[in-house]
Amino acid sequence: MSETTPDDLDRIAQSAADASPVWAATAPRERATALVAAADALMDAKSELVATAMQETGLTEARLAGELKRTAVQLRLFADVVIEGSYLDVRIDDADSEFALGVRPDLRRFRIPVGPVLNFAASNFPFAFSVAGGDTASALAAGCPVIVKAHSGHPKLSVQTGSVVAAALEAAGAPAGTLQLITGRASGVEMLGDRRIRAGSFTGSISAGRLLADIAAARPAPIPFYGELGSVNPVFVTEAALSERPDEIADEFVISVSGSAGQLCTKPGFLFVPAGHGLRDVLAARAAAASEHRLLYPGIAAGYRDRRDTILGTSGVVPIAVGSLRLDDDGQGWATPTLVSVSVDDLLAQRERLLDEAFGPLSILVEYEREDELAQVADQLFEGNLTGTVHTASGEDTAAIRSLVEWITQHAGRVLFGGWPTGVAVTPAMQHGGPWPATTNDTSTSVGTAAINRFLRAVSYQGAPQELLPQPLRDDNPWQVPQRRSTSGQSRHWGSQAATHATH
């Protein structure tokens, strides 16, 4: 993939800057119509897009077709978010001469687009976290033009997808420059430092994400940078849960680890099971039955090889299923699942070798002795994660479980009960984020309708005449968005609800 030239970078950045005020001022239904048009265009181009994606990534047709559908659904979901309008968080305080703290002027607050966004596409989701993925969809919905730094792992697909979506947006009325593509690592770094870029998003490794986050923070005018980096997603199984459904847990665990060759940010990297669990034979059999799967590109294969060799060569690690890794002359890799086990004590002793994410079909069983120490052990081992999972028996409720759930709540963005973290629902209540190093900013999500909040900032207008107010803040409310109004005289009653509750 050739590098975008400096002249082209400047042209692209200026085009995004020129499009920014036009796209931000686009009425909700017009913006939503453009998002739906992009979704429709993607699905119309399904055959050629999926074929290119299969060739470049090695992912299966079924996986890619489902991911393309998810990408279209994301765009349609955000179209509805734009029309509904509550994401603007409109607040109106009427002028009040009897305000509790003195005269209050008319104040009106809402959220506006931050401006052009630079999105670094991910390798492992060539549709859903790439050119037209969730970061792009949420930024476009917010009213921000998007420049996508294409991933080198699927260059032809990136160009195809960008062409399809940009054409659909512009045909539906979006200004030229609403969605653009750049290529090359140096180009991405250069664009991140451009004064016309107002926010960045990224999905990838901890090292690359930290580098980019530092660049964004070190700019003369720092910008927000939303990076999704590394996660090992620990899963904890109680003794009662294992007794209740051992085969189900074993089957679903191997499926979760091996799906898409384990190249998922939500893959369960550690499974905590009671010592004497008895799962060794069934896990070995399930892993042996898994088909060989191609890894995304040679860089992923090399990284997986190194992590797998390190883990298999660590003292205290006992292989359950050694799996395989086959490399061709070009460095492309094909793998089957590798599962190993280790005691809690050995994991603590070998943390420097074992705790890093293994991006591929590998997971570590951790054999524990006491459930009431799980939260304490987890606190010694793990930083932030995207997810944490607890498997309990029906009706099981103990102090140890509650302590573990509280620990996960403080260290992850999603707490699962009885499920598996792979598979992230695109829905309003989803939280896909977590404390460092899972993300660079744990107050946001990259999946679900709340993802739009990353690309907005708040502005208040004081004493503005109606004709000069933005449309969402006007009394006639031409955009028909929800408005939360604080009327004159309300401050005299502040605290009364608490006082009423106290008397009852």
Side-chain angles (χ1 to χ4, degrees):
M1 178 183 283
S2 61
E3 189 100 14
T4 304
T5 67
D7 286 346
D8 283 341
L9 287 176
D10 182 71
R11 175 186 56 78
I12 288 167
Q14 189 56 50
S15 181
D18 292 342
S20 187
V22 180
W23 184 237
T26 302
R29 290 197 176 274
E30 294 174 14
R31 194 187 303 164
T33 297
L35 295 177
V36 171
D40 291 343
L42 286 171
M43 294 308 294
D44 288 344
K46 175 182 175 180
S47 295
E48 52 265 41
L49 291 175
V50 169
T52 300
M54 289 174 64
Q55 179 185 16
E56 289 193 311
T57 70
L59 296 171
T60 66
E61 181 177 7
R63 152 69 198 272
L64 290 165
E67 189 185 328
L68 180 60
K69 179 179 180 181
R70 167 181 167 163
T71 305
V73 167
Q74 287 176 153
L75 288 161
R76 294 185 178 119
L77 173 62
F78 277 111
D80 284 356
V81 169
V82 171
I83 292 174
E84 190 273 334
S86 62
Y87 76 97
L88 293 169
D89 192 24
V90 175
R91 304 174 185 221
I92 299 175
D93 297 339
D94 291 335
D96 188 355
S97 60
E98 298 181 6
F99 185 63
L101 299 175
V103 176
R104 180 180 72 189
D106 182 275
L107 283 165
R108 298 173 185 238
R109 178 188 187 273
F110 81 138
R111 297 193 289 190
I112 66 171
V114 297
V117 171
L118 176 62
N119 172 26
F120 291 81
S123 64
N124 60 330
F125 282 89
F127 292 121
F129 280 90
S130 189
V131 174
D135 289 340
T136 295
S138 54
L140 290 174
C144 301
V146 178
I147 298 170
V148 178
K149 188 272 174 187
H151 198 282
S152 59
H154 48 268
K156 293 179 182 178
L157 178 65
S158 297
V159 172
Q160 278 183 276
T161 304
S163 297
V164 167
V165 174
L169 289 171
E170 292 179 27
T178 300
L179 179 69
Q180 300 175 91
L181 198 72
I182 64 173
T183 58
R185 182 174 300 178
S187 296
V189 171
E190 181 71 20
M191 187 64 81
L192 185 60
D194 192 287
R195 60 179 177 78
R196 290 162 289 197
I197 297 300
R198 301 302 175 87
S201 59
F202 170 84
T203 300
S205 69
I206 293 176
S207 57
R210 181 57 186 264
L211 172 67
L212 295 173
D214 288 347
I215 292 171
R219 286 176 33 149
I223 59 171
F225 183 83
Y226 301 99
E228 182 195 309
L229 311 181
S231 187
V232 296
N233 309 298
V235 176
F236 303 88
V237 180
T238 68
E239 186 173 1
L242 192 61
S243 296
E244 185 177 82
R245 52 184 195 281
D247 289 341
E248 177 185 321
I249 288 171
D251 287 345
E252 293 178 353
F253 169 62
V254 174
I255 290 171
S256 189
V257 170
S258 60
S260 298
Q263 300 168 112
L264 303 173
C265 56
T266 51
K267 184 202 70 182
F270 292 87
L271 179 72
F272 285 76
V273 290
H277 51 78
L279 294 178
R280 183 175 304 276
D281 290 344
V282 67
L283 288 175
R286 299 296 189 275
S291 300
E292 185 182 66
H293 196 299
R294 204 193 98 183
L295 299 174
L296 290 163
Y297 60 94
I300 294 289
Y304 176 67
R305 177 198 60 207
D306 292 346
R307 284 296 299 135
R308 179 173 174 271
D309 288 348
T310 295
I311 290 167
L312 288 172
T314 297
S315 175
V317 168
V318 178
I320 295 174
V322 173
S324 64
L325 176 60
R326 176 173 61 89
L327 300 176
D328 67 13
D329 292 340
D330 296 322
Q332 192 62 267
W334 288 259
T336 60
T338 295
L339 304 177
V340 302
S341 67
V342 66
S343 69
V344 166
D345 288 343
D346 283 330
L347 180 57
L348 287 166
Q350 300 289 346
R351 68 179 72 200
E352 296 298 323
R353 293 174 62 88
L354 297 179
L355 288 183
D356 287 348
E357 180 182 14
F359 195 70
L362 185 151
S363 189
I364 299 175
L365 271 72
V366 185
E367 300 178 348
Y368 68 84
E369 299 290 342
R370 296 178 53 182
E371 284 180 16
D372 60 357
E373 294 181 349
L374 279 176
Q376 179 183 354
V377 168
D379 200 51
Q380 295 178 66
L381 291 169
F382 302 116
E383 297 182 277
N385 276 280
L386 294 171
T387 73
T389 302
V390 180
H391 282 265
T392 62
S394 300
E396 187 179 10
D397 181 359
T398 66
I401 291 170
R402 289 178 175 268
S403 178
L404 186 57
V405 169
E406 175 59 23
W407 180 86
I408 296 173
T409 300
Q410 296 301 319
H411 291 81
R414 180 161 54 114
V415 186
L416 290 85
F417 294 85
W420 297 93
T422 43
V424 182
V426 180
T427 187
M430 177 52 67
Q431 173 62 27
H432 191 61
W436 175 268
T439 62
T440 58
N441 186 321
D442 67 354
T443 63
S444 65
T445 178
S446 60
V447 180
T449 57
I452 197 173
N453 297 335
R454 298 172 296 169
F455 306 115
L456 300 163
R457 68 177 183 88
V459 178
S460 285
Y461 292 76
Q462 181 171 323
Q466 287 288 313
E467 60 271 18
L468 295 181
L469 281 169
Q471 295 194 59
L473 298 181
R474 285 167 35 182
D475 287 341
D476 62 351
N477 193 10
W479 281 10
Q480 296 298 300
V481 298
Q483 295 178 332
R484 186 190 311 175
R485 187 178 290 268
S486 176
T487 59
S488 176
Q490 275 188 341
S491 65
R492 294 195 299 270
H493 306 289
W494 285 351
S496 61
Q497 294 186 49
T500 302
H501 178 77
T503 61
H504 291 80

